[in-house]
Amino acid sequence: MKSAFLLSLVAIAMLSIAGCGAHEAKWSAEAAQYAAYATQIPLYPGTKITDAMGSESWGDGPDSYSYGMNWSCETKATREELVAWYEARLPNAERRTTDFGWIELTVIPRNAKPGENMGVRIESDGKYGVFENRRNK
């Protein structure tokens, strides 16, 4: 009886772990249509993309144009859980803390041109952003 009870507890624990959103969230077609590279960044399980915003920048030189995109995301995870999850999935990322205290992990995308990058900006519990910076719109 005791071993059957323990076996039941183990089975329930295994099902709970498997069912707690262990799979990455999928990029929606609507959000992905604006990405050149950012869909290479996995989305934390249970993520909902709540907004997307682009930006353009010009400098004085002929090759100074850049285009950026940011996707605002929400999920049910602590800031620490988000940081640990993304550090495990982006092991070569450059980590920095922004002036706002956000944790930013930046990587170079596959097939990127010089000066292009992408990454995640972890703001607070449940809130983060995926970004990319590229040379062409």
Side-chain angles (χ1 to χ4, degrees), residues 38-70:
T39 57
Q40 295 173 32
I41 299 282
L43 297 176
Y44 188 88
T47 290
K48 302 283 186 246
I49 296 177
T50 58
D51 196 11
M53 182 180 293
S55 64
E56 295 179 279
S57 177
W58 290 268
D60 294 330
D63 293 330
S64 64
Y65 175 81
S66 67
Y67 181 76
M69 278 296 301
N70 185 75

Side-chain angles (χ1 to χ4, degrees), residues 30-134:
E30 181 182 11
Q33 72 180 328
Y34 301 108
Y37 303 119
T39 57
Q40 295 173 32
I41 299 282
L43 297 176
Y44 188 88
T47 290
K48 302 283 186 246
I49 296 177
T50 58
D51 196 11
M53 182 180 293
S55 64
E56 295 179 279
S57 177
W58 290 268
D60 294 330
D63 293 330
S64 64
Y65 175 81
S66 67
Y67 181 76
M69 278 296 301
N70 185 75
W71 292 264
S72 298
C73 303
E74 291 183 1
T75 192
K76 292 180 181 176
T78 66
R79 178 180 158 134
E80 292 74 24
E81 289 169 333
L82 286 167
V83 169
W85 195 86
Y86 275 106
E87 284 182 334
R89 279 151 185 81
L90 305 172
N92 299 321
E94 178 183 316
R95 180 184 167 144
R96 77 177 190 100
T97 302
T98 70
D99 292 340
F100 294 111
W102 302 341
I103 304 297
E104 190 171 273
L105 302 172
T106 304
V107 295
I108 305 301
R110 287 185 305 273
N111 304 316
K113 297 176 185 150
E116 295 183 322
N117 63 29
M118 66 181 182
V120 294
R121 191 172 297 117
I122 301 162
E123 300 168 18
S124 60
D125 288 352
K127 294 191 182 286
Y128 72 101
V130 175
F131 65 88
E132 68 178 25
N133 296 299
R134 57 190 199 239

Side-chain angles (χ1 to χ4, degrees), residues 9-48:
L9 285 178
V10 169
I12 290 169
M14 300 278 287
L15 287 172
S16 297
I17 291 169
C20 71
H23 298 290
E24 297 171 3
K26 301 286 184 209
W27 280 82
S28 69
E30 181 182 11
Q33 72 180 328
Y34 301 108
Y37 303 119
T39 57
Q40 295 173 32
I41 299 282
L43 297 176
Y44 188 88
T47 290
K48 302 283 186 246

